[in-house]
Amino acid sequence: MNALAATNRNFRQAARILGLDSKIEKSLMIPFREIKVECTIPKDDGTLVSYVGFRVQHDNSRGPMKGGIRYHPEVEPDEVNALAQLMTWKTAVADIPYGGAKGGIGCSPKDLSFSELERLTRVFTQKIHDLIGVNTDVPAPDMGTNAQTMAWILDEYSKFHGYSPAVVTGKPIDLGGSLGRDAATGRGVVYATEALLAEHGKSVKGLTFAIQGFGNVGSWAAKLFHERGGKVVAVSDITGAVRNPNGIDIHALLQHKDATGKLADFSGADVLNSNDLLTQECDVLVPCALGGVLSRENAGDVRAKFVIEAANHPTDPDADEILSKKGVVILPDIYANAGGVTVSYFEWVQNIQGFMWDEDKVNTELKRYMTKAFHNIKGMCQSHDCNLRMGAFTLGVNRVARATLLRGWEA
């Protein structure tokens, strides 16, 4: 099941539990605006090439729309739509004053030079500059984009609207980016896990963790679990996988990966088949890579007691049912990986105030938001007698529906 179908299914189930009116349910599913633009740039050799850029703005009832911009060959409208909708529920669960958006350009960033990427980003910004803004829609980096991309968008946007650092988040620190933003998603995953474990009378110390994906999110999560006394027993990424039942020294593994570019040949662990990572013996499984990795085929073999969804949509609905029947507790993506958008909100707040925070304040506030959101989800689970995923969806959908009704949606 693709991301859009799964998101719609979860939304409809939440709407049913909440007893939403069918007219408002339909209205909440349809995006506020979909934008499709043509971006033509001269390549370095002088030839012209055209790309298609998208921006889906899903909902703005709770505040400006917020979501990443990805540069990827398979940026297609359905997926962008699902991710925009997911951002609406995610920001509502985290209780930050945003709605959801998502965008991207169908291109292969590795096939473009630095200056071609800059030209493409500037042309895309020229086409959408009057549809984004500090109080309208605030983009951020995603797959294939980074702080440099955001710097170009900020500069191009500012040519039309004056210096506006709050128009994008995930910027370089020198241009008003926030301290702690780099680690934010991984750190949020750890705070979310701590809140869940505390509910079960456990803590990170002494538990075993298997982590799929060792990019930004996975490496930060592994490092922070390790520092808190957790034992990371298996790690994988696209280059391979390693395991050590006595615990991997994460700092040494990070140094090895920086030096060699891959996980293999690390002296402190044995080689593992990447496909076996998800079924490793561990207490907590943390998928941080792609969507749809836990499916009907492998869910029955998962041995973890807790699954923390650091990736977007890693568990398909069939796997969800199988794992629930086994008594595995799943912490859903729309809550577990909300640390990134929460610190993006802190960055936006700092830019608007023109007053920057130190890193301790960023982390303290992030912990407060993640912990509060967990208790709000648990409250929904108790009042609607549902699992954590439906607890999170009902919490998010209910907040957006209430804001929509209060603003007078029929007028």
Side-chain angles (χ1 to χ4, degrees), residues 140-159:
D142 200 305
M143 275 163 65
T145 56
N146 55 24
Q148 178 60 69
T149 320
M150 297 305 108
W152 291 327
I153 295 176
L154 161 64
D155 182 70
E156 198 60 33
Y157 180 87
S158 296
K159 290 176 186 174

Side-chain angles (χ1 to χ4, degrees), residues 18-343:
L18 292 165
L20 284 191
D21 177 85
S22 64
K23 292 192 293 298
I24 191 160
E25 179 182 338
K26 184 159 192 240
S27 154
L28 288 178
M29 267 183 88
I30 301 168
F32 167 76
R33 185 195 279 145
E34 294 190 33
I35 303 151
K36 187 175 178 184
V37 293
E38 168 262 341
C39 302
T40 299
I41 59 160
K43 292 197 69 162
D44 293 341
D45 63 8
T47 57
L48 288 179
V49 59
S50 295
Y51 299 97
V52 178
F54 299 96
R55 186 75 178 163
V56 174
Q57 299 174 329
H58 179 258
D59 188 276
N60 61 359
S61 60
R62 297 180 62 258
M65 294 163 287
K66 185 93 192 78
I69 287 181
R70 51 177 54 183
Y71 288 0
H72 192 269
E74 283 149 39
V75 169
E76 55 102 26
D78 254 13
E79 189 185 24
V80 176
N81 225 311
L83 294 166
Q85 193 193 134
L86 215 51
M87 284 301 292
T88 297
W89 317 132
K90 186 181 293 188
T91 50
V93 168
D95 203 16
I96 52 183
Y98 286 142
K102 205 75 175 189
I105 301 177
C107 69
S108 225
K110 62 178 190 306
D111 298 338
L112 294 168
S113 72
F114 189 75
S115 57
E116 286 167 346
L117 280 171
E118 177 173 356
R119 288 197 289 278
L120 181 57
T121 304
R122 289 184 184 278
V123 169
F124 184 50
T125 309
Q126 287 163 17
K127 297 284 172 99
I128 65 167
H129 77 89
D130 51 354
L131 299 168
I132 62 173
V134 177
N135 299 305
T136 316
D137 177 3
V138 181
D142 200 305
M143 275 163 65
T145 56
N146 55 24
Q148 178 60 69
T149 320
M150 297 305 108
W152 291 327
I153 295 176
L154 161 64
D155 182 70
E156 198 60 33
Y157 180 87
S158 296
K159 290 176 186 174
F160 296 94
H161 302 275
Y163 182 62
S164 319
V167 71
V168 287
T169 58
K171 299 182 292 293
I173 303 290
D174 296 332
L175 290 176
S178 177
L179 295 170
R181 176 65 189 86
D182 187 45
T185 309
R187 193 175 288 277
V189 166
V190 174
Y191 290 151
T193 307
E194 287 180 324
L196 174 67
L197 293 173
E199 185 75 21
H200 290 263
K202 296 174 161 47
S203 74
V204 168
K205 197 173 164 63
L207 292 188
T208 55
F209 296 80
I211 297 179
Q212 183 193 43
F214 206 60
N216 173 284
V217 182
S219 59
W220 274 107
K223 188 170 154 198
L224 295 165
F225 283 135
H226 181 69
E227 285 169 7
R228 283 163 168 72
K231 274 206 310 200
V232 179
V233 294
V235 173
S236 74
D237 71 359
I238 42 173
T239 67
V242 291
R243 70 181 282 261
N244 181 344
N246 301 317
I248 297 168
D249 178 347
I250 297 297
H251 293 284
L253 183 61
L254 280 163
Q255 283 170 350
H256 171 78
K257 193 187 169 185
D258 283 346
T260 65
K262 54 183 200 277
L263 295 179
D265 308 326
F266 173 60
S267 56
D270 304 323
V271 174
L272 172 70
N273 181 332
S274 295
N275 299 329
D276 297 339
L277 183 113
L278 297 166
T279 55
Q280 280 300 299
E281 181 74 56
C282 63
D283 298 310
V284 184
L285 174 63
V286 192
C288 305
L290 296 169
V293 293
L294 288 167
S295 59
R296 184 188 300 160
E297 283 70 46
N298 59 8
D301 303 326
V302 169
R303 292 191 273 180
K305 301 168 196 68
F306 300 95
V307 173
I308 312 293
E309 295 189 335
N312 279 323
H313 186 59
T315 317
D316 74 20
D318 292 330
D320 230 355
E321 266 176 48
I322 296 166
L323 292 167
S324 297
K325 285 197 179 110
K326 287 176 60 171
V328 177
V329 178
I330 302 173
L331 197 61
D333 52 0
I334 64 166
Y335 162 64
N337 65 28
V341 71
T342 303
V343 175

Side-chain angles (χ1 to χ4, degrees), residues 349-365:
V349 166
Q350 293 168 72
N351 294 154
I352 289 171
Q353 288 187 324
F355 180 80
M356 304 309 283
W357 304 352
D358 62 30
E359 195 164 347
D360 283 346
K361 180 172 168 74
V362 173
N363 294 341
T364 306
E365 288 292 319

